[in-house]
Amino acid sequence: MHIQAVANTATNYHVASHPSLFGLERTPGSPLAAIGSIQSRDPGETVFAEGDDAESVYEVIRGMVRLYKLLPDGRRQITGFLTAGQLLGLAPEGICVYSAEAITPVTLCRYKRSSFERLIDEVPGFARRLLTVTSHELNAAQDQMLLLGRKSATEKVASFLLMMAGRDVDAAHDEVQVPMTRNDIADYLGLTIETVSRTLTRFRQDGLIALPTPARIKILDRDQLDELAAGEGDADF
Amino acid sequence: MHIQAVANTATNYHVASHPSLFGLERTPGSPLAAIGSIQSRDPGETVFAEGDDAESVYEVIRGMVRLYKLLPDGRRQITGFLTAGQLLGLAPEGICVYSAEAITPVTLCRYKRSSFERLIDEVPGFARRLLTVTSHELNAAQDQMLLLGRKSATEKVASFLLMMAGRDVDAAHDEVQVPMTRNDIADYLGLTIETVSRTLTRFRQDGLIALPTPARIKILDRDQLDELAAGEGDADF
DNA sequence: CGATATCTTGATAAGCATCAATGTGAGTGG
DNA sequence: CCACTCACATTGATGCTTATCAAGATATCG
């Protein structure tokens, strides 16, 4: 609770002062700020579930969210990890097609669906911006299909590490923060948690990474990880 | 060549008389018709390749197109099969992020990128329509991630058959036309061609399908295929 | 400091890939 | 018109990658 309160304080500052991903200033009085409200979720809490009425669109302000789909027997595929600035819940049919849960303590900006759709029609260029954002998501999804369908476990884990390193802006000394569990990683890569763990151990033994704690991974040999991720790795990996 | 000419004739009729997917009549004089030009591709020919300048946006008028990404060593993941009414080549950064090839003889409507983007800005509601289309593609991509990451070979092939059956409108007697090769199917499902073939054979032996030719598949027990595709299938599959 | 979830490591097995050979059908040229 | 050819599909034998089952180690939190 205390941590959550801190997060909220920081968030309000963020909301009031930083430009939004969508090119609309989220300052008081702007169209987006006028219809958005701040919300929080604790780790593990649901933002929305597949099949829910899509009453809201959310933007991640702070923290990390996982998106996923389930099979009837419980098998899970995580389709993405979202961080600050990313949008979720945009559902053209009014029904959520995936579930969303907080991984870390999360701060969200919630927009009522009706208000959000009015913006699409009324604010010039807004729909086009959303189209650009969605096209990028689609491209990321296609990259993930290539990973899931055609990469080995080693290549998958290397790709994951590089993705995390690439988005962690304040990763000064190549140390990546990994807030999600091995289970999340496995369900994102189409593997089991044992295979993820073993692969990371092998990377550590081969001097590619260091693992001060399970949640902190230090990249020691980015070049070789790059090669592995692209599928150009040596046969001995 | 003869076949191609026939296809083109049929296409021109189609272009002149049917409403476009995007809600803009593609009749002479409409915004879309004004900037579109008809093109053809023979089976195996490239529409565009990953890394190309995205100079054009295309709509499939007739035939089937495969979209795919490659790894450096040639491993391929097909990300989608496109049929009449579907759009390809929408690349926000101006660079194609995937390749597209004709599977069957294909007729396309080509729009110059600059003209297409002008439409986005000038035609009210057009950007929003594209947003809806792209959101649906994104949802399909997420379903495919679930398939690639978490479904067994049996479940994958069953899902594929149902997808093909679902889009084949004139599949009167539950006979699906499968214009792509086993190789394409395998690269779409993240399997090998042998596994696809074996799985289809088992479906045939179990009375779920009939295979008059490799390219024609008759659905005999849709209920059981539904169960298999959802991962609810019997253990003996 | 102790309880519990998470992670790591090990042994075994299953599913699918790989390698190899045979079968089949469409298109071509004799 | 038919045989030939070649690409595609099917079938079989074997092996590897990764999943599964199981146990122990480590981290986190109250």
Side-chain angles (χ1 to χ4, degrees):
Chain A
M1 267 297 113
H2 178 61
I3 291 176
Q4 198 53 43
V6 170
N8 271 337
T9 305
T11 294
N12 289 329
Y13 172 80
H14 180 95
V15 169
S17 63
H18 287 116
S20 154
L21 177 72
F22 318 117
L24 296 170
E25 292 285 334
R26 219 193 291 91
T27 47
S30 83
L32 263 181
I35 63 168
S37 66
I38 296 298
Q39 295 204 340
S40 298
R41 293 289 190 287
D42 287 327
E45 282 188 342
T46 296
V47 181
F48 52 76
E50 186 174 352
D52 284 359
D53 287 338
E55 297 164 352
S56 307
V57 176
Y58 299 86
E59 182 186 349
V60 179
I61 305 298
R62 188 190 161 91
M64 185 174 277
V65 171
R66 60 177 167 249
L67 308 185
Y68 62 91
K69 294 210 179 212
L70 294 174
L71 288 173
D73 64 359
R75 279 174 286 173
R76 182 180 68 157
Q77 179 65 42
I78 292 184
T79 56
F81 297 113
L82 302 188
T83 49
Q86 295 189 276
L87 205 66
L88 59 154
L90 206 59
E93 303 305 328
I95 301 287
C96 295
V97 292
Y98 52 81
S99 302
E101 288 173 0
I103 289 177
T104 63
V106 162
T107 308
L108 301 162
C109 188
R110 172 179 174 273
Y111 307 102
K112 267 190 290 186
R113 179 182 158 78
S114 55
S115 312
F116 197 85
E117 296 199 330
R118 194 158 355 100
L119 280 194
I120 293 179
D121 290 328
E122 292 177 1
V123 177
F126 188 59
R128 183 167 183 171
R129 267 173 210 286
L130 289 180
L131 182 59
T132 302
V133 169
T134 307
S135 294
H136 278 114
E137 284 179 42
L138 191 57
N139 181 33
Q142 289 165 344
D143 283 336
Q144 192 67 4
M145 284 191 243
L146 178 61
L147 178 146
L148 290 169
R150 288 300 179 219
K151 288 189 181 178
S152 69
T154 301
E155 292 160 354
K156 286 176 176 180
V157 175
S159 301
F160 171 77
L161 290 177
L162 291 171
M163 180 201 73
M164 290 302 291
R167 65 163 64 179
D168 209 340
V169 186
D170 46 27
H173 31 298
D174 278 333
E175 183 163 305
V176 185
Q177 300 299 318
V178 182
M180 67 286 279
T181 66
R182 298 288 184 267
N183 221 315
D184 286 337
I185 299 172
D187 284 351
Y188 179 65
L189 299 177
L191 298 170
T192 59
I193 108 177
E194 293 95 332
T195 298
V196 171
S197 186
R198 277 187 249 270
T199 305
L200 288 173
T201 299
R202 203 149 37 77
F203 284 173
R204 178 171 53 71
Q205 290 168 344
D206 293 332
L208 304 186
I209 62 171
L211 286 164
T213 77
R216 284 168 43 214
I217 300 180
K218 195 165 186 172
I219 310 270
L220 299 179
D221 189 343
R222 171 182 283 267
D223 290 345
Q224 190 148 10
L225 282 177
D226 277 328
E227 284 183 20
L228 285 175
E232 300 164 334
D234 308 323
D236 35 309
F237 273 96
Chain B
M1 270 294 116
H2 178 63
I3 290 173
Q4 198 54 42
V6 170
N8 271 338
T9 304
T11 294
N12 288 330
Y13 173 80
H14 181 95
V15 168
S17 62
H18 288 114
S20 155
L21 177 71
F22 318 117
L24 296 168
E25 292 286 332
R26 218 193 296 90
T27 47
S30 83
L32 263 181
I35 63 167
S37 65
I38 296 298
Q39 294 202 341
S40 297
R41 292 290 189 289
D42 286 326
E45 284 189 340
T46 296
V47 180
F48 52 76
E50 186 173 352
D52 283 359
D53 286 340
E55 297 164 353
S56 307
V57 176
Y58 298 87
E59 182 186 348
V60 178
I61 304 298
R62 188 190 160 91
M64 184 173 279
V65 170
R66 59 176 167 249
L67 308 185
Y68 63 91
K69 295 212 178 210
L70 294 174
L71 288 173
D73 65 358
R75 277 174 287 173
R76 182 179 69 158
Q77 179 65 41
I78 291 183
T79 57
F81 297 113
L82 268 45
T83 50
Q86 295 188 279
L87 205 66
L88 59 154
L90 207 59
E93 303 305 328
I95 301 287
C96 294
V97 292
Y98 52 81
S99 303
E101 289 173 0
I103 290 177
T104 63
V106 162
T107 308
L108 302 163
C109 188
R110 173 179 174 274
Y111 307 103
K112 266 191 291 187
R113 181 181 156 79
S114 55
S115 312
F116 198 84
E117 296 198 332
R118 193 159 356 101
L119 279 195
I120 293 178
D121 291 328
E122 293 177 359
V123 177
F126 188 59
R128 182 166 183 174
R129 266 173 211 285
L130 288 180
L131 182 60
T132 302
V133 169
T134 307
S135 294
H136 277 114
E137 284 179 40
L138 191 57
N139 181 32
Q142 289 165 345
D143 282 337
Q144 192 67 4
M145 285 191 242
L146 178 61
L147 177 146
L148 291 168
R150 288 301 180 217
K151 287 189 182 179
S152 69
T154 301
E155 292 161 355
K156 286 176 176 181
V157 175
S159 301
F160 170 76
L161 290 177
L162 291 171
M163 181 201 72
M164 291 301 291
R167 64 165 64 180
D168 210 339
V169 185
D170 46 27
H173 31 298
D174 278 334
E175 183 164 304
V176 185
Q177 299 299 318
V178 183
M180 67 286 278
T181 66
R182 297 289 185 266
N183 221 314
D184 286 336
I185 300 174
D187 284 352
Y188 180 65
L189 299 178
L191 298 171
T192 59
I193 108 176
E194 294 93 333
T195 299
V196 171
S197 187
R198 277 186 249 272
T199 305
L200 288 173
T201 299
R202 203 151 37 77
F203 284 173
R204 178 171 52 72
Q205 289 168 346
D206 293 333
L208 303 186
I209 61 171
L211 285 165
T213 78
R216 285 168 43 213
I217 301 180
K218 195 165 185 173
I219 309 269
L220 299 179
D221 190 342
R222 170 181 284 266
D223 291 346
Q224 190 149 9
L225 282 177
D226 277 328
E227 284 183 20
L228 285 175
E232 299 165 333
D234 308 324
D236 36 309
F237 275 95

